[in-house]
Amino acid sequence: MKQIEAARARAAAGERLSLEDALALYKDNDLLFLADCARKAKERKSGHRVYYTVNRHINLTNICSSNCPLCAFQVEAGDARGFVMEPDDIERVLAKAKETPNLSEIHIVSALHPDKPFSYYRAVVRQVKAALPDADVKAFTPVEIVNFAKMTGKSIREILTLLKEDGLDSLPGGGAEILSDRVRQIICPKKATTAHSLGIRTNASIMYGHVETIEERLQHLITIREIQDETGGFQAFMLFPFHPAHTKLGEEYHLQRVGAWEDMKMMALSRLILDNIDHVKAFWIMLTMPVAQLALGFGADDLDGTIGEEKIIHAAGARTKTGITRTQLEKIIREAGYEPVERDTFYQPIGGREEGV
């Protein structure tokens, strides 16, 4: 009883929470209390602003050598479902992107293709930057960066230096899942442990609702906070509830998608634990838009963006639309009582823009 009383007092006062505090608040299960504390924490960071961006996703390939049981997107080489985007394919996507008013970000995440050389990925960045010089190129998770280093024998610093020369602006989140050796041996045994010493700003993330314990889930958040204390390199945090459909992990462990109550509890606790990260995203394409809108009352201050097209999450059973308009996003934000702010990748406001898809 003393632990929960102390944890509630610290949460209400906006003080830093320990792992024990977080566990006590999770078990207490007082969702309205967590919402109140998280909303106040969000408003201390960004007031009544809620951010979004006009962006487009590009998934270059689904052929992957990692073979993670949690992934429904990947296929092995030779599988008839496999695809690889070549320069002409990318050009068609970019031609459509050029028609999108206000586009400020191209988001590129793919798979660990066993044969495509590093030069292929460098060429993609150059092609995107040449076509859309004013758009930020957010590309390649830390896992992909480590894979590039392994395939070339270069250091991570060398890889990032070359990609920055080609036009890379930032790295997306993803790839860490849960920072626990036990969990990672089950869900992604071939992925490298994520480290934030890359010298470039990125997002942090969590994928929850699979084989992790609650303590491992909350320790993941504490670890991210410690990394942020050291580097200051995370600009935003994203929560990814695990979509088990069509995955080996879902079938083996008979997993079901967690519910909105769990999503909101994790959203609020993430905002409270990650006191040194300014922005928390409600990634609507994973949460569904009604849940993402609700998350604005549980500490989230960003709905990500218009997206345009997305394949990885939808391969795992997501039924959300693949794109949304700027006007729709602003309406959703205003309904929640907040002020919509169009931003670039680095959370700089963009004003005076016309309607964009």
Side-chain angles (χ1 to χ4, degrees), residues 59-108:
N59 302 127
L60 296 174
T61 181
N62 63 344
I63 299 172
C64 188
S65 58
S66 188
N67 198 28
C68 299
L70 61 70
C71 183
F73 176 66
Q74 66 180 10
V75 299
E76 295 181 357
D79 192 305
R81 297 168 296 171
F83 73 88
V84 179
M85 295 188 72
E86 299 296 349
D88 288 348
D89 304 312
I90 296 165
E91 188 57 40
R92 283 191 287 272
V93 173
L94 294 176
K96 189 172 182 180
K98 288 178 183 179
E99 298 173 357
T100 304
N102 315 334
L103 185 76
S104 62
E105 178 186 283
I106 295 292
H107 184 288
I108 304 172

mmCIF file of all heavy atoms in Angstrom, residues 59-108:
data_model
loop_
_atom_site.group_PDB
_atom_site.id
_atom_site.type_symbol
_atom_site.label_atom_id
_atom_site.label_comp_id
_atom_site.label_asym_id
_atom_site.label_seq_id
_atom_site.Cartn_x
_atom_site.Cartn_y
_atom_site.Cartn_z
ATOM 1 N N ASN A 59 8.088 1.145 -48.472
ATOM 2 C CA ASN A 59 8.672 -0.127 -48.030
ATOM 3 C C ASN A 59 9.342 -0.768 -49.238
ATOM 4 O O ASN A 59 8.679 -1.201 -50.172
ATOM 5 C CB ASN A 59 7.596 -1.045 -47.458
ATOM 6 C CG ASN A 59 6.852 -0.414 -46.288
ATOM 7 O OD1 ASN A 59 5.625 -0.342 -46.290
ATOM 8 N ND2 ASN A 59 7.573 0.064 -45.299
ATOM 9 N N LEU A 60 10.672 -0.820 -49.226
ATOM 10 C CA LEU A 60 11.433 -1.197 -50.422
ATOM 11 C C LEU A 60 11.336 -2.677 -50.765
ATOM 12 O O LEU A 60 11.355 -3.051 -51.937
ATOM 13 C CB LEU A 60 12.908 -0.825 -50.237
ATOM 14 C CG LEU A 60 13.212 0.669 -50.103
ATOM 15 C CD1 LEU A 60 14.682 0.874 -49.792
ATOM 16 C CD2 LEU A 60 12.820 1.412 -51.369
ATOM 17 N N THR A 61 11.285 -3.532 -49.758
ATOM 18 C CA THR A 61 11.245 -4.974 -50.003
ATOM 19 C C THR A 61 10.688 -5.692 -48.783
ATOM 20 O O THR A 61 10.761 -5.179 -47.664
ATOM 21 C CB THR A 61 12.653 -5.527 -50.327
ATOM 22 O OG1 THR A 61 12.567 -6.944 -50.574
ATOM 23 C CG2 THR A 61 13.628 -5.289 -49.183
ATOM 24 N N ASN A 62 10.132 -6.868 -49.012
ATOM 25 C CA ASN A 62 9.697 -7.715 -47.895
ATOM 26 C C ASN A 62 10.529 -8.988 -47.796
ATOM 27 O O ASN A 62 10.233 -9.873 -46.995
ATOM 28 C CB ASN A 62 8.212 -8.062 -48.025
ATOM 29 C CG ASN A 62 7.893 -8.880 -49.267
ATOM 30 O OD1 ASN A 62 8.696 -8.955 -50.201
ATOM 31 N ND2 ASN A 62 6.724 -9.498 -49.294
ATOM 32 N N ILE A 63 11.557 -9.104 -48.616
ATOM 33 C CA ILE A 63 12.438 -10.276 -48.582
ATOM 34 C C ILE A 63 13.481 -10.047 -47.497
ATOM 35 O O ILE A 63 14.236 -9.081 -47.539
ATOM 36 C CB ILE A 63 13.107 -10.497 -49.952
ATOM 37 C CG1 ILE A 63 12.035 -10.747 -51.018
ATOM 38 C CG2 ILE A 63 14.081 -11.674 -49.886
ATOM 39 C CD1 ILE A 63 12.567 -10.783 -52.438
ATOM 40 N N CYS A 64 13.536 -10.961 -46.512
ATOM 41 C CA CYS A 64 14.318 -10.685 -45.311
ATOM 42 C C CYS A 64 15.039 -11.936 -44.825
ATOM 43 O O CYS A 64 14.484 -13.043 -44.835
ATOM 44 C CB CYS A 64 13.400 -10.166 -44.211
ATOM 45 S SG CYS A 64 14.266 -9.574 -42.740
ATOM 46 N N SER A 65 16.265 -11.733 -44.375
ATOM 47 C CA SER A 65 17.065 -12.845 -43.844
ATOM 48 C C SER A 65 16.937 -12.993 -42.335
ATOM 49 O O SER A 65 17.445 -13.948 -41.759
ATOM 50 C CB SER A 65 18.546 -12.632 -44.196
ATOM 51 O OG SER A 65 19.008 -11.397 -43.669
ATOM 52 N N SER A 66 16.231 -12.060 -41.671
ATOM 53 C CA SER A 66 16.145 -12.097 -40.209
ATOM 54 C C SER A 66 15.185 -13.175 -39.712
ATOM 55 O O SER A 66 15.409 -13.800 -38.682
ATOM 56 C CB SER A 66 15.708 -10.732 -39.675
ATOM 57 O OG SER A 66 15.805 -10.690 -38.279
ATOM 58 N N ASN A 67 14.076 -13.361 -40.441
ATOM 59 C CA ASN A 67 13.115 -14.427 -40.121
ATOM 60 C C ASN A 67 12.581 -14.324 -38.691
ATOM 61 O O ASN A 67 12.490 -15.315 -37.964
ATOM 62 C CB ASN A 67 13.746 -15.808 -40.350
ATOM 63 C CG ASN A 67 12.694 -16.902 -40.451
ATOM 64 O OD1 ASN A 67 11.563 -16.651 -40.857
ATOM 65 N ND2 ASN A 67 13.062 -18.112 -40.068
ATOM 66 N N CYS A 68 12.196 -13.119 -38.277
ATOM 67 C CA CYS A 68 11.675 -12.920 -36.922
ATOM 68 C C CYS A 68 10.263 -13.479 -36.800
ATOM 69 O O CYS A 68 9.395 -13.180 -37.621
ATOM 70 C CB CYS A 68 11.659 -11.437 -36.580
ATOM 71 S SG CYS A 68 13.284 -10.672 -36.624
ATOM 72 N N PRO A 69 9.987 -14.260 -35.767
ATOM 73 C CA PRO A 69 8.648 -14.842 -35.603
ATOM 74 C C PRO A 69 7.537 -13.826 -35.411
ATOM 75 O O PRO A 69 6.365 -14.154 -35.589
ATOM 76 C CB PRO A 69 8.809 -15.720 -34.355
ATOM 77 C CG PRO A 69 10.267 -16.004 -34.254
ATOM 78 C CD PRO A 69 10.946 -14.770 -34.770
ATOM 79 N N LEU A 70 7.874 -12.572 -35.017
ATOM 80 C CA LEU A 70 6.820 -11.591 -34.787
ATOM 81 C C LEU A 70 6.412 -10.848 -36.053
ATOM 82 O O LEU A 70 5.492 -10.041 -36.035
ATOM 83 C CB LEU A 70 7.235 -10.583 -33.712
ATOM 84 C CG LEU A 70 8.469 -9.691 -33.915
ATOM 85 C CD1 LEU A 70 8.295 -8.628 -34.967
ATOM 86 C CD2 LEU A 70 8.860 -9.059 -32.592
ATOM 87 N N CYS A 71 7.083 -11.108 -37.167
ATOM 88 C CA CYS A 71 6.860 -10.316 -38.372
ATOM 89 C C CYS A 71 6.006 -11.067 -39.388
ATOM 90 O O CYS A 71 6.333 -12.191 -39.776
ATOM 91 C CB CYS A 71 8.207 -9.934 -38.996
ATOM 92 S SG CYS A 71 8.040 -8.872 -40.440
ATOM 93 N N ALA A 72 4.928 -10.418 -39.834
ATOM 94 C CA ALA A 72 4.081 -10.997 -40.876
ATOM 95 C C ALA A 72 4.419 -10.434 -42.246
ATOM 96 O O ALA A 72 3.899 -10.897 -43.257
ATOM 97 C CB ALA A 72 2.611 -10.712 -40.567
ATOM 98 N N PHE A 73 5.286 -9.432 -42.290
ATOM 99 C CA PHE A 73 5.638 -8.755 -43.537
ATOM 100 C C PHE A 73 6.691 -9.520 -44.325
ATOM 101 O O PHE A 73 6.630 -9.625 -45.541
ATOM 102 C CB PHE A 73 6.134 -7.347 -43.193
ATOM 103 C CG PHE A 73 6.628 -6.542 -44.364
ATOM 104 C CD1 PHE A 73 5.757 -6.133 -45.363
ATOM 105 C CD2 PHE A 73 7.963 -6.173 -44.455
ATOM 106 C CE1 PHE A 73 6.204 -5.376 -46.434
ATOM 107 C CE2 PHE A 73 8.423 -5.410 -45.515
ATOM 108 C CZ PHE A 73 7.541 -5.016 -46.512
ATOM 109 N N GLN A 74 7.657 -10.091 -43.630
ATOM 110 C CA GLN A 74 8.820 -10.696 -44.281
ATOM 111 C C GLN A 74 8.478 -12.002 -44.988
ATOM 112 O O GLN A 74 7.584 -12.739 -44.585
ATOM 113 C CB GLN A 74 9.896 -10.980 -43.236
ATOM 114 C CG GLN A 74 9.453 -12.054 -42.236
ATOM 115 C CD GLN A 74 10.505 -12.355 -41.184
ATOM 116 O OE1 GLN A 74 11.489 -11.660 -41.065
ATOM 117 N NE2 GLN A 74 10.282 -13.402 -40.416
ATOM 118 N N VAL A 75 9.221 -12.275 -46.061
ATOM 119 C CA VAL A 75 9.206 -13.584 -46.714
ATOM 120 C C VAL A 75 10.649 -13.927 -47.043
ATOM 121 O O VAL A 75 11.521 -13.063 -47.105
ATOM 122 C CB VAL A 75 8.351 -13.592 -48.003
ATOM 123 C CG1 VAL A 75 6.903 -13.251 -47.696
ATOM 124 C CG2 VAL A 75 8.924 -12.650 -49.052
ATOM 125 N N GLU A 76 10.906 -15.207 -47.287
ATOM 126 C CA GLU A 76 12.246 -15.630 -47.655
ATOM 127 C C GLU A 76 12.466 -15.442 -49.146
ATOM 128 O O GLU A 76 11.518 -15.366 -49.944
ATOM 129 C CB GLU A 76 12.461 -17.096 -47.260
ATOM 130 C CG GLU A 76 12.429 -17.341 -45.758
ATOM 131 C CD GLU A 76 12.680 -18.794 -45.397
ATOM 132 O OE1 GLU A 76 12.823 -19.609 -46.330
ATOM 133 O OE2 GLU A 76 12.741 -19.105 -44.196
ATOM 134 N N ALA A 77 13.736 -15.381 -49.542
ATOM 135 C CA ALA A 77 14.071 -15.262 -50.952
ATOM 136 C C ALA A 77 13.474 -16.444 -51.719
ATOM 137 O O ALA A 77 13.516 -17.584 -51.253
ATOM 138 C CB ALA A 77 15.586 -15.228 -51.130
ATOM 139 N N GLY A 78 12.899 -16.173 -52.869
ATOM 140 C CA GLY A 78 12.270 -17.213 -53.673
ATOM 141 C C GLY A 78 10.785 -17.352 -53.454
ATOM 142 O O GLY A 78 10.090 -17.999 -54.252
ATOM 143 N N ASP A 79 10.266 -16.746 -52.389
ATOM 144 C CA ASP A 79 8.826 -16.790 -52.117
ATOM 145 C C ASP A 79 8.096 -15.955 -53.174
ATOM 146 O O ASP A 79 8.504 -14.834 -53.504
ATOM 147 C CB ASP A 79 8.555 -16.220 -50.719
ATOM 148 C CG ASP A 79 7.137 -16.491 -50.232
ATOM 149 O OD1 ASP A 79 6.194 -16.122 -50.945
ATOM 150 O OD2 ASP A 79 6.987 -17.059 -49.139
ATOM 151 N N ALA A 80 7.000 -16.490 -53.694
ATOM 152 C CA ALA A 80 6.248 -15.799 -54.745
ATOM 153 C C ALA A 80 5.675 -14.467 -54.267
ATOM 154 O O ALA A 80 5.340 -13.604 -55.087
ATOM 155 C CB ALA A 80 5.124 -16.705 -55.245
ATOM 156 N N ARG A 81 5.536 -14.306 -52.965
ATOM 157 C CA ARG A 81 4.982 -13.052 -52.423
ATOM 158 C C ARG A 81 6.034 -11.959 -52.302
ATOM 159 O O ARG A 81 5.720 -10.812 -51.989
ATOM 160 C CB ARG A 81 4.361 -13.313 -51.049
ATOM 161 C CG ARG A 81 3.183 -14.277 -51.046
ATOM 162 C CD ARG A 81 2.826 -14.688 -49.631
ATOM 163 N NE ARG A 81 3.916 -15.434 -49.005
ATOM 164 C CZ ARG A 81 3.967 -15.771 -47.716
ATOM 165 N NH1 ARG A 81 2.967 -15.401 -46.919
ATOM 166 N NH2 ARG A 81 4.990 -16.460 -47.243
ATOM 167 N N GLY A 82 7.281 -12.309 -52.547
ATOM 168 C CA GLY A 82 8.361 -11.354 -52.374
ATOM 169 C C GLY A 82 8.342 -10.242 -53.417
ATOM 170 O O GLY A 82 7.925 -10.443 -54.546
ATOM 171 N N PHE A 83 8.800 -9.072 -53.007
ATOM 172 C CA PHE A 83 8.938 -7.968 -53.953
ATOM 173 C C PHE A 83 10.157 -7.133 -53.584
ATOM 174 O O PHE A 83 10.594 -7.111 -52.432
ATOM 175 C CB PHE A 83 7.677 -7.081 -53.962
ATOM 176 C CG PHE A 83 7.532 -6.212 -52.726
ATOM 177 C CD1 PHE A 83 8.100 -4.952 -52.661
ATOM 178 C CD2 PHE A 83 6.822 -6.664 -51.623
ATOM 179 C CE1 PHE A 83 7.975 -4.157 -51.540
ATOM 180 C CE2 PHE A 83 6.678 -5.876 -50.487
ATOM 181 C CZ PHE A 83 7.260 -4.620 -50.443
ATOM 182 N N VAL A 84 10.701 -6.465 -54.570
ATOM 183 C CA VAL A 84 11.786 -5.504 -54.379
ATOM 184 C C VAL A 84 11.489 -4.311 -55.271
ATOM 185 O O VAL A 84 11.207 -4.477 -56.459
ATOM 186 C CB VAL A 84 13.160 -6.085 -54.755
ATOM 187 C CG1 VAL A 84 14.247 -5.022 -54.559
ATOM 188 C CG2 VAL A 84 13.479 -7.322 -53.941
ATOM 189 N N MET A 85 11.532 -3.126 -54.710
ATOM 190 C CA MET A 85 11.308 -1.928 -55.510
ATOM 191 C C MET A 85 12.611 -1.519 -56.192
ATOM 192 O O MET A 85 13.623 -1.273 -55.530
ATOM 193 C CB MET A 85 10.785 -0.788 -54.639
ATOM 194 C CG MET A 85 9.423 -1.054 -54.044
ATOM 195 S SD MET A 85 8.723 0.386 -53.199
ATOM 196 C CE MET A 85 8.333 1.425 -54.610
ATOM 197 N N GLU A 86 12.568 -1.450 -57.502
ATOM 198 C CA GLU A 86 13.712 -1.009 -58.293
ATOM 199 C C GLU A 86 13.531 0.481 -58.620
ATOM 200 O O GLU A 86 12.481 1.068 -58.331
ATOM 201 C CB GLU A 86 13.821 -1.852 -59.556
ATOM 202 C CG GLU A 86 14.024 -3.336 -59.299
ATOM 203 C CD GLU A 86 15.346 -3.671 -58.582
ATOM 204 O OE1 GLU A 86 16.211 -2.784 -58.453
ATOM 205 O OE2 GLU A 86 15.492 -4.822 -58.130
ATOM 206 N N PRO A 87 14.547 1.130 -59.209
ATOM 207 C CA PRO A 87 14.465 2.573 -59.455
ATOM 208 C C PRO A 87 13.199 3.032 -60.162
ATOM 209 O O PRO A 87 12.617 4.069 -59.799
ATOM 210 C CB PRO A 87 15.716 2.844 -60.290
ATOM 211 C CG PRO A 87 16.699 1.826 -59.808
ATOM 212 C CD PRO A 87 15.881 0.592 -59.540
ATOM 213 N N ASP A 88 12.713 2.268 -61.154
ATOM 214 C CA ASP A 88 11.490 2.668 -61.856
ATOM 215 C C ASP A 88 10.272 2.621 -60.925
ATOM 216 O O ASP A 88 9.386 3.478 -61.009
ATOM 217 C CB ASP A 88 11.247 1.760 -63.060
ATOM 218 C CG ASP A 88 12.220 2.025 -64.193
ATOM 219 O OD1 ASP A 88 12.922 3.061 -64.129
ATOM 220 O OD2 ASP A 88 12.286 1.204 -65.122
ATOM 221 N N ASP A 89 10.233 1.621 -60.045
ATOM 222 C CA ASP A 89 9.134 1.513 -59.087
ATOM 223 C C ASP A 89 9.150 2.704 -58.129
ATOM 224 O O ASP A 89 8.101 3.296 -57.818
ATOM 225 C CB ASP A 89 9.235 0.213 -58.288
ATOM 226 C CG ASP A 89 9.273 -1.015 -59.171
ATOM 227 O OD1 ASP A 89 8.421 -1.102 -60.070
ATOM 228 O OD2 ASP A 89 10.143 -1.875 -58.949
ATOM 229 N N ILE A 90 10.341 3.039 -57.652
ATOM 230 C CA ILE A 90 10.481 4.157 -56.720
ATOM 231 C C ILE A 90 10.111 5.460 -57.399
ATOM 232 O O ILE A 90 9.465 6.336 -56.803
ATOM 233 C CB ILE A 90 11.918 4.201 -56.155
ATOM 234 C CG1 ILE A 90 12.184 2.925 -55.338
ATOM 235 C CG2 ILE A 90 12.138 5.443 -55.300
ATOM 236 C CD1 ILE A 90 13.639 2.688 -55.031
ATOM 237 N N GLU A 91 10.479 5.585 -58.663
ATOM 238 C CA GLU A 91 10.154 6.798 -59.408
ATOM 239 C C GLU A 91 8.648 7.006 -59.517
ATOM 240 O O GLU A 91 8.156 8.131 -59.421
ATOM 241 C CB GLU A 91 10.775 6.732 -60.801
ATOM 242 C CG GLU A 91 10.659 8.034 -61.587
ATOM 243 C CD GLU A 91 11.289 9.218 -60.863
ATOM 244 O OE1 GLU A 91 12.373 9.048 -60.262
ATOM 245 O OE2 GLU A 91 10.673 10.307 -60.875
ATOM 246 N N ARG A 92 7.913 5.915 -59.682
ATOM 247 C CA ARG A 92 6.455 6.024 -59.756
ATOM 248 C C ARG A 92 5.872 6.511 -58.431
ATOM 249 O O ARG A 92 4.945 7.333 -58.401
ATOM 250 C CB ARG A 92 5.845 4.674 -60.153
ATOM 251 C CG ARG A 92 5.976 4.364 -61.641
ATOM 252 C CD ARG A 92 5.131 3.167 -62.028
ATOM 253 N NE ARG A 92 5.703 1.912 -61.535
ATOM 254 C CZ ARG A 92 6.597 1.202 -62.205
ATOM 255 N NH1 ARG A 92 7.036 1.607 -63.387
ATOM 256 N NH2 ARG A 92 7.056 0.068 -61.705
ATOM 257 N N VAL A 93 6.419 6.003 -57.320
ATOM 258 C CA VAL A 93 5.962 6.458 -56.001
ATOM 259 C C VAL A 93 6.299 7.935 -55.803
ATOM 260 O O VAL A 93 5.479 8.719 -55.310
ATOM 261 C CB VAL A 93 6.606 5.609 -54.886
ATOM 262 C CG1 VAL A 93 6.269 6.183 -53.513
ATOM 263 C CG2 VAL A 93 6.143 4.168 -54.978
ATOM 264 N N LEU A 94 7.497 8.317 -56.206
ATOM 265 C CA LEU A 94 7.925 9.706 -56.025
ATOM 266 C C LEU A 94 7.123 10.660 -56.904
ATOM 267 O O LEU A 94 6.852 11.799 -56.507
ATOM 268 C CB LEU A 94 9.425 9.828 -56.323
ATOM 269 C CG LEU A 94 10.345 9.087 -55.355
ATOM 270 C CD1 LEU A 94 11.799 9.191 -55.809
ATOM 271 C CD2 LEU A 94 10.201 9.640 -53.941
ATOM 272 N N ALA A 95 6.746 10.198 -58.096
ATOM 273 C CA ALA A 95 5.929 11.040 -58.971
ATOM 274 C C ALA A 95 4.598 11.359 -58.304
ATOM 275 O O ALA A 95 4.095 12.493 -58.378
ATOM 276 C CB ALA A 95 5.716 10.342 -60.308
ATOM 277 N N LYS A 96 4.025 10.367 -57.642
ATOM 278 C CA LYS A 96 2.775 10.586 -56.912
ATOM 279 C C LYS A 96 3.010 11.480 -55.697
ATOM 280 O O LYS A 96 2.186 12.338 -55.370
ATOM 281 C CB LYS A 96 2.183 9.248 -56.477
ATOM 282 C CG LYS A 96 0.789 9.351 -55.904
ATOM 283 C CD LYS A 96 0.175 7.975 -55.674
ATOM 284 C CE LYS A 96 -1.244 8.091 -55.142
ATOM 285 N NZ LYS A 96 -1.845 6.743 -54.925
ATOM 286 N N ALA A 97 4.153 11.273 -55.030
ATOM 287 C CA ALA A 97 4.473 12.089 -53.861
ATOM 288 C C ALA A 97 4.635 13.562 -54.238
ATOM 289 O O ALA A 97 4.251 14.458 -53.476
ATOM 290 C CB ALA A 97 5.753 11.583 -53.208
ATOM 291 N N LYS A 98 5.178 13.824 -55.419
ATOM 292 C CA LYS A 98 5.355 15.209 -55.873
ATOM 293 C C LYS A 98 4.020 15.924 -56.026
ATOM 294 O O LYS A 98 3.958 17.153 -55.953
ATOM 295 C CB LYS A 98 6.101 15.222 -57.203
ATOM 296 C CG LYS A 98 7.577 14.871 -57.114
ATOM 297 C CD LYS A 98 8.196 14.882 -58.511
ATOM 298 C CE LYS A 98 9.643 14.463 -58.484
ATOM 299 N NZ LYS A 98 10.248 14.444 -59.844
ATOM 300 N N GLU A 99 2.959 15.164 -56.238
ATOM 301 C CA GLU A 99 1.638 15.757 -56.406
ATOM 302 C C GLU A 99 0.970 16.073 -55.071
ATOM 303 O O GLU A 99 -0.115 16.650 -55.044
ATOM 304 C CB GLU A 99 0.748 14.796 -57.205
ATOM 305 C CG GLU A 99 1.256 14.499 -58.611
ATOM 306 C CD GLU A 99 0.456 13.417 -59.299
ATOM 307 O OE1 GLU A 99 -0.469 12.861 -58.640
ATOM 308 O OE2 GLU A 99 0.747 13.108 -60.464
ATOM 309 N N THR A 100 1.618 15.670 -53.975
ATOM 310 C CA THR A 100 1.049 15.868 -52.643
ATOM 311 C C THR A 100 1.482 17.220 -52.091
ATOM 312 O O THR A 100 2.665 17.406 -51.786
ATOM 313 C CB THR A 100 1.507 14.755 -51.684
ATOM 314 O OG1 THR A 100 1.162 13.493 -52.235
ATOM 315 C CG2 THR A 100 0.863 14.908 -50.314
ATOM 316 N N PRO A 101 0.574 18.179 -51.969
ATOM 317 C CA PRO A 101 0.952 19.476 -51.397
ATOM 318 C C PRO A 101 1.456 19.314 -49.968
ATOM 319 O O PRO A 101 0.970 18.474 -49.216
ATOM 320 C CB PRO A 101 -0.365 20.273 -51.427
ATOM 321 C CG PRO A 101 -1.206 19.594 -52.451
ATOM 322 C CD PRO A 101 -0.837 18.136 -52.369
ATOM 323 N N ASN A 102 2.446 20.106 -49.626
ATOM 324 C CA ASN A 102 2.943 20.187 -48.244
ATOM 325 C C ASN A 102 3.745 18.975 -47.784
ATOM 326 O O ASN A 102 4.057 18.860 -46.595
ATOM 327 C CB ASN A 102 1.809 20.401 -47.249
ATOM 328 C CG ASN A 102 0.807 21.442 -47.667
ATOM 329 O OD1 ASN A 102 1.129 22.354 -48.431
ATOM 330 N ND2 ASN A 102 -0.411 21.302 -47.197
ATOM 331 N N LEU A 103 4.059 18.046 -48.669
ATOM 332 C CA LEU A 103 4.789 16.848 -48.241
ATOM 333 C C LEU A 103 6.119 17.256 -47.613
ATOM 334 O O LEU A 103 6.919 17.957 -48.233
ATOM 335 C CB LEU A 103 5.046 15.933 -49.435
ATOM 336 C CG LEU A 103 5.701 14.589 -49.091
ATOM 337 C CD1 LEU A 103 4.675 13.645 -48.471
ATOM 338 C CD2 LEU A 103 6.293 13.941 -50.342
ATOM 339 N N SER A 104 6.362 16.805 -46.379
ATOM 340 C CA SER A 104 7.583 17.222 -45.684
ATOM 341 C C SER A 104 8.478 16.061 -45.284
ATOM 342 O O SER A 104 9.593 16.287 -44.819
ATOM 343 C CB SER A 104 7.229 18.030 -44.428
ATOM 344 O OG SER A 104 6.499 17.243 -43.510
ATOM 345 N N GLU A 105 8.016 14.806 -45.468
ATOM 346 C CA GLU A 105 8.821 13.676 -45.000
ATOM 347 C C GLU A 105 8.558 12.431 -45.836
ATOM 348 O O GLU A 105 7.418 12.106 -46.138
ATOM 349 C CB GLU A 105 8.498 13.385 -43.531
ATOM 350 C CG GLU A 105 9.235 12.203 -42.940
ATOM 351 C CD GLU A 105 8.760 11.887 -41.534
ATOM 352 O OE1 GLU A 105 9.160 12.630 -40.612
ATOM 353 O OE2 GLU A 105 7.977 10.939 -41.351
ATOM 354 N N ILE A 106 9.640 11.740 -46.211
ATOM 355 C CA ILE A 106 9.568 10.415 -46.806
ATOM 356 C C ILE A 106 10.142 9.432 -45.790
ATOM 357 O O ILE A 106 11.281 9.588 -45.330
ATOM 358 C CB ILE A 106 10.358 10.325 -48.119
ATOM 359 C CG1 ILE A 106 9.743 11.235 -49.185
ATOM 360 C CG2 ILE A 106 10.392 8.886 -48.623
ATOM 361 C CD1 ILE A 106 8.381 10.806 -49.675
ATOM 362 N N HIS A 107 9.355 8.434 -45.428
ATOM 363 C CA HIS A 107 9.697 7.474 -44.379
ATOM 364 C C HIS A 107 9.964 6.128 -45.044
ATOM 365 O O HIS A 107 9.067 5.544 -45.655
ATOM 366 C CB HIS A 107 8.510 7.389 -43.405
ATOM 367 C CG HIS A 107 8.729 6.518 -42.214
ATOM 368 N ND1 HIS A 107 8.771 5.145 -42.284
ATOM 369 C CD2 HIS A 107 8.884 6.829 -40.902
ATOM 370 C CE1 HIS A 107 8.952 4.648 -41.075
ATOM 371 N NE2 HIS A 107 9.017 5.649 -40.221
ATOM 372 N N ILE A 108 11.199 5.640 -44.942
ATOM 373 C CA ILE A 108 11.596 4.407 -45.628
ATOM 374 C C ILE A 108 12.014 3.357 -44.600
ATOM 375 O O ILE A 108 12.969 3.559 -43.847
ATOM 376 C CB ILE A 108 12.757 4.649 -46.602
ATOM 377 C CG1 ILE A 108 12.392 5.751 -47.604
ATOM 378 C CG2 ILE A 108 13.125 3.363 -47.344
ATOM 379 C CD1 ILE A 108 13.564 6.188 -48.477
#
